[in-house]
Amino acid sequence: MCVALPSRAPRGEGSDQLRSRFSQRNEVSFLEIRLDDLQSTEVIALLREHLHGMRQVSPPESTHALDLAELRRPEITFWSVWEGDELAGFGALKELDALHAEIKSMRTAIAHKRKGVASRLLEHLVAEAERRGYRRLSLETGSMDYFEPARQLYARFGFDYCAPFDAYVEDPNSVFMTREISSREAGEGAGQLRAFG
């Protein structure tokens, strides 16, 4: 059974000390989600892998992954996910306005795939969006088969397909998804993860 603790850490705190326990192949593992300053060699290396991977599957005009300098902009908050001393993944929120945020840079390290990292991180991002008072959370991802697992994950968390938002334009290589945020919905999402984790 997955034990997930809600995120209520103030924005800007060094680490929310958030841990999620789950069973994988009869082993008990712990995930810690940390507010991250993008300084560690592990995070920088995984980001480079992420950018390389996105450029391999998407043409340049359709690649919207952010580099290190872009992720350090003040409107973006970045979290890393750790299993012990190993970096398991990362993700970010970009504030578009006072009521609308965008999910950016969701990535799971290859060695930690199928361990619930992406689900746990997405749950955290939705809860953080609700805590900040956003009323809408959106994202862009690829339309190719490579991105199908990501699209399925977002759909399970209540995201629906939508028109381009913010500065995006229609692109056959991109799809756009969005969901409304409320306290009730965020609570239900956490409950579903606990029930099915």
Side-chain angles (χ1 to χ4, degrees), residues 47 50-51 54-55 57-67 70-71 73 76 94 102-106 139-144 147 164-165 167-176:
L47 178 60
H50 175 61
L51 293 172
M54 294 302 97
R55 291 164 183 158
V57 297
S58 300
E61 66 275 13
S62 302
T63 302
H64 303 288
L66 302 181
D67 62 22
E70 291 169 323
L71 285 169
R73 290 176 179 171
I76 294 177
K94 177 182 179 182
E102 178 184 1
I103 291 174
K104 298 295 295 184
S105 302
M106 286 276 291
L139 62 96
E140 179 275 339
T141 190
S143 62
M144 295 76 89
F147 297 97
F165 59 91
Y168 292 109
V169 297
E170 290 286 355
D171 182 345
N173 297 304
S174 291
V175 296
F176 306 94

Side-chain angles (χ1 to χ4, degrees), residues 72-143:
R72 287 173 173 164
R73 290 176 179 171
E75 68 270 23
I76 294 177
T77 309
F78 184 89
W79 290 269
S80 55
V81 186
W82 298 79
E83 183 179 359
D85 294 331
E86 295 184 9
L87 177 64
F90 55 59
L93 283 180
K94 177 182 179 182
E95 183 171 291
L96 303 178
D97 59 45
L99 298 177
H100 190 186
E102 178 184 1
I103 291 174
K104 298 295 295 184
S105 302
M106 286 276 291
R107 183 74 175 189
T108 300
I110 292 174
H112 294 272
K113 287 185 179 295
R114 296 180 178 84
K115 291 185 176 182
V117 174
S119 293
R120 184 64 195 89
L121 180 56
L122 185 55
E123 181 199 25
H124 173 75
L125 295 177
V126 171
E128 177 66 12
E130 186 273 329
R131 188 192 70 80
R132 293 184 182 186
Y134 298 139
R135 289 295 172 259
R136 183 164 294 279
L137 189 57
S138 303
L139 62 96
E140 179 275 339
T141 190
S143 62

